[in-house]
Amino acid sequence: MTTAGTEEEAEDLAGALVEAGLAACVQIQRVRSVYRWEGETRREPEWLLICKTRAGRFEALQALVHEKHSYAVPEVVQLPITAGAPAYLRWLAEATAEPPAAG
């Protein structure tokens, strides 16, 4: 999970993650966030990105988010998938498979 400050940034980040094979799917929703930053309570619209991936791809996904994100401290949170429809989980694994090593 991560958030973005603009819809355009959310779309760009989602596209980059899917195109890199780091996420099988990214859902984007507009949300209102209330948070503490630099000693102030802030209330701002954000776009929530729910990135579907495998645990083994999390580090690479996190690195790409940090590389492309405009926030000084972007939210990057991993929530485990504890169960799911077998066909969906197979698709997710296939969509986020690491490319074969060059030999």
Side-chain angles (χ1 to χ4, degrees):
M1 226 172 30
T2 190
T3 55
T6 68
E7 186 174 15
E8 181 180 359
E9 182 177 19
E11 290 280 344
D12 290 346
L13 188 53
L17 291 169
V18 171
E19 288 168 18
L22 298 175
C25 171
V26 178
Q27 294 173 320
I28 302 170
Q29 295 179 323
R30 186 171 181 186
V31 296
R32 173 156 300 285
S33 294
V34 178
Y35 60 97
R36 194 130 181 94
W37 181 251
E38 297 178 340
E40 294 180 21
T41 300
R42 300 187 182 190
R43 292 169 172 79
E44 297 180 20
E46 288 188 297
W47 280 259
L48 174 66
L49 289 79
I50 301 172
C51 311
K52 278 71 174 282
T53 194
R54 295 177 296 112
R57 299 295 269 162
F58 177 75
E59 293 301 322
L61 182 144
Q62 178 176 239
L64 187 62
V65 169
H66 281 279
E67 175 187 323
K68 296 196 168 288
H69 212 290
S70 66
Y71 289 177
V73 182
E75 170 188 9
V76 183
V77 178
Q78 180 182 22
L79 302 174
I81 297 173
T82 58
Y88 180 83
L89 296 178
R90 270 192 306 279
W91 167 78
L92 191 146
E94 291 167 5
T96 58
E98 293 186 48

